[in-house]
Amino acid sequence: MILSGRTIQARLKIITIAAVITALVTASCALIVPFPPKVDLEERLTAFPQTKLPLSAPAKVYWNLNQVPFVDAKTDEDAAFVIGLIHAHLRLGQMEVMRRIAAGRISEMGGPLAIDIDHSLRVLNLGRVASQVVASMPDDTRRWLESFVLGINYYQNSIEFLPHEFQVLGLEREVWTAEDVITIGRLASVDVNWIVWYRLLALRNEPGWAVLWSRLLDEGTASLPSFISENSDSLNSLTDIVLGMSRSGSNAVAISGDKSITGSGLIASDPHLGLTVPNLWLIAGYRSPSYHAVGMMIPGIPFIAFGRNRDIGWGGTNMRAANSDLFDVSVLNPESFVEREEKIKVRWWFDKNITVRETEFGPIISDAPAVPSISDDQIGLRWIGHQPSDELTSMLKVNRARNWNEFKDALEGFAVSPQNMVFADRHGHIGMIMATHIPQRKVAKPKDLVLQPHDLDHWSSILTSQDLPASYNPKSGYLVSANNLATETDMPIGYFFSSNDRVHRLSERLVELDRVSVRDLEELQRDVFMHSAVELRNAFLERIKTLSNTHKLDTLQFLNVLEDWDGYYHKTSAGPVAIELLTYYFVDNYYSESQKAAYAATGRQMTSLLHELNTASRTVIDAALHPALLSASAKFKEFSTWGDMHSISLSHPLRFIPIIGRYYRFGTFPVSGGSTTIMKTANRLTDQRHTASYGSNARHISDMSDLDSNYLVLLGGQDGWINSTTFLDQVTLWRTGGYVRVPMRMRTIQNDFPYLMELTP
């Protein structure tokens, strides 16, 4: 029998699908690996190597009951080596997964379903300049990095039992390199604007795109500044990876000595990242000849990202700077494209060869399967992170800085991810620096999402933090940052800043206080009031007054709850349910699919809604508001409180595995907060029960008057070892507003940290 080409293709497709299903079923069986037995802290610490180590002198590690370490070493290189041991001890499984994600090697762990994500990550090429960065480092930075990597490798090679992730994902022991660390750093520093762009790309052919784009820019740049400059007049999976692992959000507060109770500076930070366990931070402290600091570290990255040393404290929030551009490269000569072949290794399946293309405008991201595109577009991505920059040296300088000038000078080499870096010191001084490298653009607002090749001209001049405005000792006595515009400038800094809710609320609360204490900052970090929701509620109620009495009578209970609501997203309140439901149904009725996608991408739905409610005609508004009110009132009966609708599910990334993923969910609990509250627990606009997947996952506060007054907490725990007693032990603290005190005085550490390890050469 002779088969047609179409029939052959159909049968091949069936065979392929069957083979994939067979592979996945087989994989699921292979993945059924029992959890490690429960282990207490003392048992966990016995796995830590303590003798015959490649140290130049004996070193000590103190551990508290939460498995928080403090390293005391006689040389900087020994300190870095021990820190590498600690990171591997606490988070080796997590670090190995991050290393493979950064390199586009997810398919080696997850099989054929991850090929498109790997292809897209290979196109982005996060490790593009890692070798150049390492080669150009100062000698002391390179020694620190190499010692840290040596510690990771030593630990990995010395332990008998590898973390659970190795067995489930089929990981092998692989030697770590300095380039791996730099590449993970680039993963943690990707441009958050990409999330917006990738969602908007598919809309560029929609009718009215030019008008929508202009409005998105107007609303995205309408951001309250953190300070007044002296020089100014006034993609779901790929997205989850970016949101979950990059420093894409945060709140940061600095209080001057004139406004603090102690007379010294106060510093407070709470980053916003994926709400997973293990946490994407770990708490640590260390002392060596050059360093004496405590704070939060990213697993696999050898510096304290936010925390304090003896003299200064620091924190940061993503400044949403425009340090990337998209370019239309379809008009370029084909000879200007450079191609390379790469192989994606695939677990349980055939490997796949791909072609990655680049030009002087950067990698061709329209070739990435996870990036939406239209027609035959060829789009290049120009990113500051694809150029050499040495954030490790900058942050090590910050870790040992003694004053404002040293802090400011340290950040000149810091390029990605762009941060509004906040500073406070023991003498009561405070400040903020825009730490990034950014093209010196001349056009305030681009005409389109994708630029033309001639627009590359503005990349000829790159500005650093030394060229950008900074604030030092403002008269207000405080500085706050919440992913808003840091200050007004002559050139555009960015286009899509966070809404004003958090920066407004932080400032409002601090203005109310004559003197600020650590306790005040603790309460501030858990604040769940949302200004924009109250404004939206009021605008809705004004419009509802014009509706017929029948509609108001049918929804009387709902309207009473809405009107009486105080604006707080408390888990015990029904008010947040009412405003979220009414907003959801109104958006669904009022906007086109393209508009909904655009405003969701930029995070400016509230701003847009307020504009529409205040300016659109009554007829148009009422046509959407009538059915929205009825639907919201009916659905409202399903939820007794915001916590009944809105929760956090503590789960491991392995929850995505078919069949066995449910075993990696470790509990769900109702939670306060919302998408733009200070204590962020973000969710997509919905009318269903849901879990927040992104938000405040760690907190830090330091009083610079006291070396021991440092308070930190994680949503989860220090240990990445599943079934360890310190895997989830800080969850209750996070939920109730508690903290772990991490002192810096050695006598206090010796008293408060009951487990001492003496490490010997």
Side-chain angles (χ1 to χ4, degrees):
M1 180 175 62
I2 299 176
L3 301 177
S4 68
R6 181 175 296 180
T7 303
I8 292 173
Q9 289 179 354
R11 291 195 176 184
L12 285 174
K13 186 174 183 180
I14 293 171
I15 292 170
T16 301
I17 292 172
V20 170
I21 292 173
T22 301
L24 291 176
V25 171
T26 303
S28 296
C29 295
L31 290 169
I32 300 176
V33 177
F35 275 9
K38 290 186 177 180
V39 57
D40 62 23
L41 178 55
E42 291 186 5
E43 292 175 290
R44 275 290 286 136
L45 293 180
T46 60
F48 200 95
Q50 299 180 47
T51 60
K52 299 181 180 179
L53 302 174
L55 295 168
S56 62
K60 295 179 180 179
V61 184
Y62 299 87
W63 301 87
N64 74 2
L65 296 175
N66 302 100
Q67 206 172 174
V68 172
F70 190 94
V71 176
D72 189 18
K74 293 183 173 60
T75 71
D76 291 343
E77 287 77 13
D78 284 353
F81 171 78
V82 177
I83 293 167
L85 290 176
I86 288 168
H87 279 226
H89 170 73
L90 292 172
R91 302 292 182 84
L92 181 60
Q94 180 185 29
M95 288 161 55
E96 288 291 350
V97 171
M98 291 170 63
R99 173 161 67 150
R100 286 163 174 79
I101 290 173
R105 297 173 56 193
I106 304 174
S107 299
E108 296 178 25
M109 304 181 289
L113 297 180
I115 290 174
D116 283 352
I117 300 299
D118 276 344
H119 187 167
S120 301
L121 288 167
R122 300 291 180 94
V123 170
L124 288 174
N125 195 11
L126 299 176
R128 181 182 188 182
V129 295
S131 296
Q132 292 174 257
V133 172
V134 173
S136 63
M137 284 177 173
D139 289 341
D140 58 343
T141 302
R142 190 180 303 107
R143 288 194 300 270
W144 178 274
L145 175 58
E146 289 173 349
S147 297
F148 175 75
V149 170
L150 178 63
I152 296 172
N153 286 322
Y154 190 94
Y155 185 91
Q156 182 177 226
N157 293 332
S158 66
I159 58 173
E160 179 180 0
F161 300 106
L162 291 167
H164 184 70
E165 291 90 339
F166 276 72
Q167 302 170 64
V168 175
L169 299 175
L171 307 181
E172 301 287 343
R173 285 182 170 94
E174 289 186 13
V175 175
W176 277 70
T177 66
E179 288 76 12
D180 289 331
V181 174
I182 301 303
T183 304
I184 290 176
R186 284 301 196 257
L187 173 64
S189 302
V190 297
D191 188 341
V192 297
N193 290 296
W194 299 351
I195 302 167
V196 178
W197 294 349
Y198 295 168
R199 291 173 175 172
L200 293 178
L201 276 173
L203 305 177
R204 290 179 64 237
N205 271 353
E206 296 288 332
W209 163 253
V211 174
L212 178 60
W213 171 249
S214 178
R215 181 166 170 183
L216 291 173
L217 288 179
D218 289 341
E219 293 176 353
T221 55
S223 179
L224 291 175
S226 289
F227 63 90
I228 303 300
S229 168
E230 295 177 358
N231 300 319
S232 72
D233 294 331
S234 30
L235 332 140
N236 286 340
S237 296
L238 189 61
T239 295
D240 288 344
I241 289 172
V242 172
L243 276 176
M245 296 190 178
S246 69
R247 287 173 282 178
S248 51
S250 295
N251 302 314
V253 175
I255 308 297
S256 75
D258 292 336
K259 195 172 177 64
S260 76
I261 284 179
T262 63
S264 291
L266 303 176
I267 193 86
S269 300
D270 59 290
H272 302 160
L273 290 167
L275 302 178
T276 60
V277 289
N279 199 285
L280 288 160
W281 299 99
L282 60 83
I283 304 170
Y286 43 80
R287 185 178 77 158
S288 70
S290 300
Y291 301 95
H292 190 180
V294 298
M296 295 284 187
M297 307 182 78
I298 299 172
I301 306 294
F303 59 74
I304 288 176
F306 60 97
R308 59 131 348 141
N309 61 28
R310 296 183 65 88
D311 298 297
I312 75 165
W314 62 93
T317 79
N318 195 296
M319 63 185 289
R320 307 291 173 94
N323 61 3
S324 300
D325 278 320
L326 299 179
F327 288 95
D328 181 358
V329 297
S330 59
V331 298
L332 298 183
N333 189 315
E335 295 180 357
S336 64
F337 289 73
V338 177
E339 297 183 355
R340 71 177 186 275
E341 300 294 321
E342 294 201 12
K343 177 181 286 188
I344 297 175
K345 295 182 179 180
V346 186
R347 193 180 187 191
W348 311 303
W349 197 244
F350 307 109
D351 294 344
K352 181 176 181 178
N353 295 316
I354 62 169
T355 300
V356 178
R357 301 188 299 158
E358 295 186 353
T359 71
E360 65 173 315
F361 298 88
I364 310 305
I365 62 157
S366 49
D367 290 346
V371 177
S373 60
I374 53 177
S375 64
D376 296 321
D377 282 353
Q378 297 190 76
I379 299 173
L381 171 68
R382 188 68 177 260
W383 176 40
I384 286 290
H386 281 146
Q387 300 177 183
S389 59
D390 188 0
E391 287 72 24
L392 177 55
T393 294
S394 289
M395 288 307 299
L396 289 175
K397 288 181 178 179
V398 167
N399 281 197
R400 61 178 185 261
R402 295 167 296 178
N403 53 53
W404 168 251
N405 288 332
E406 290 183 6
F407 176 77
K408 188 175 181 181
D409 291 344
L411 291 167
E412 183 175 10
F414 191 102
V416 292
S417 63
Q419 298 285 306
N420 291 319
M421 293 293 289
V422 175
F423 161 97
D425 71 16
R426 62 190 177 94
H427 301 293
H429 304 302
I430 61 173
M432 183 187 295
I433 289 173
M434 302 166 74
T436 190
H437 293 179
I438 187 171
Q440 188 172 10
R441 294 179 171 86
K442 297 179 177 63
V443 179
K445 294 179 182 178
K447 293 181 179 179
D448 196 4
L449 173 61
V450 180
L451 306 180
Q452 297 304 308
H454 61 77
D455 293 315
L456 187 63
D457 291 348
H458 61 240
W459 282 78
S460 61
S461 177
I462 303 298
L463 305 180
T464 74
S465 61
Q466 300 296 313
D467 304 306
L468 297 171
S471 177
Y472 185 60
N473 288 338
K475 293 180 180 179
S476 64
Y478 67 86
L479 283 163
V480 299
S481 181
N483 314 122
N484 56 300
L485 176 65
T487 190
E488 296 181 0
T489 58
D490 294 332
M491 56 161 282
I493 295 296
Y495 305 114
F496 298 107
F497 299 102
S498 288
S499 72
N500 292 325
D501 274 306
R502 287 180 289 128
V503 68
H504 185 177
R505 182 61 174 169
L506 288 165
S507 299
E508 179 182 66
R509 288 287 306 276
L510 291 173
V511 166
E512 294 171 353
L513 298 170
D514 291 331
R515 288 288 187 268
V516 181
S517 67
V518 167
R519 177 61 60 86
D520 292 325
L521 293 177
E522 291 176 356
E523 293 179 358
L524 189 60
Q525 288 186 332
R526 292 181 287 120
D527 189 276
V528 291
F529 182 84
M530 191 185 297
H531 275 283
S532 64
V534 172
E535 292 175 331
L536 188 60
R537 183 270 310 273
N538 294 341
F540 274 134
L541 290 176
E542 281 299 312
R543 289 291 190 166
I544 289 170
K545 287 179 181 178
T546 66
L547 299 182
S548 69
N549 288 331
T550 301
H551 282 294
K552 288 188 283 188
L553 287 173
D554 291 343
T555 60
L556 187 59
Q557 180 184 2
F558 175 84
L559 288 173
N560 286 339
V561 170
L562 191 64
E563 189 169 1
D564 292 342
W565 178 48
D566 59 5
Y568 287 87
Y569 273 66
H570 288 307
K571 62 186 178 183
T572 55
S573 172
V577 180
I579 189 61
E580 291 279 326
L581 288 175
L582 186 55
T583 303
Y584 171 81
Y585 288 115
F586 183 82
V587 166
D588 195 48
N589 293 333
Y590 188 81
Y591 290 115
S592 68
E593 292 302 319
S594 296
Q595 289 172 322
K596 283 189 284 189
Y599 292 127
T602 58
R604 286 286 181 153
Q605 284 177 317
M606 294 293 196
T607 306
S608 172
L609 278 176
L610 283 168
H611 174 80
E612 295 297 330
L613 289 169
N614 291 325
T615 61
S617 71
R618 172 179 170 180
T619 302
V620 173
I621 293 294
D622 288 357
L625 187 53
H626 282 188
L629 179 58
L630 293 173
S631 297
S633 179
K635 190 70 175 180
F636 179 73
K637 298 171 184 176
E638 296 183 17
F639 308 105
S640 57
T641 62
W642 179 234
D644 185 33
M645 187 182 186
H646 183 74
S647 62
I648 283 179
S649 178
L650 288 177
S651 55
H652 193 282
L654 292 177
R655 69 188 182 278
F656 293 114
I657 296 176
I659 302 175
I660 67 167
R662 64 184 184 276
Y663 297 113
Y664 295 95
R665 300 180 187 276
F666 302 104
T668 299
F669 55 86
V671 67
S672 300
S675 295
T676 60
T677 53
I678 293 175
M679 192 185 87
K680 176 180 281 192
T681 55
N683 61 279
R684 292 181 175 90
L685 198 57
T686 180
D687 65 342
Q688 302 296 316
R689 280 190 175 86
H690 57 269
T691 56
S693 58
Y694 173 77
S696 303
N697 73 333
R699 302 182 187 122
H700 160 246
I701 300 171
S702 283
D703 175 358
M704 300 306 299
S705 71
D706 182 359
L707 288 175
D708 292 341
S709 185
N710 312 300
Y711 307 94
L712 304 101
V713 69
L714 303 173
L715 177 57
Q718 276 281 96
D719 206 349
W721 190 275
I722 295 176
N723 262 346
S724 161
T725 54
T726 56
F727 180 62
L728 296 172
D729 65 313
Q730 294 181 49
V731 173
T732 299
L733 286 175
W734 185 93
R735 293 180 65 182
T736 58
Y739 294 78
V740 177
R741 187 177 76 144
V742 184
M744 291 180 65
R745 291 187 180 89
M746 293 309 302
R747 64 177 180 272
T748 313
I749 292 168
Q750 292 164 1
N751 183 66
D752 291 1
F753 286 45
Y755 298 98
L756 169 63
M757 285 183 180
E758 302 199 42
L759 310 184
T760 58

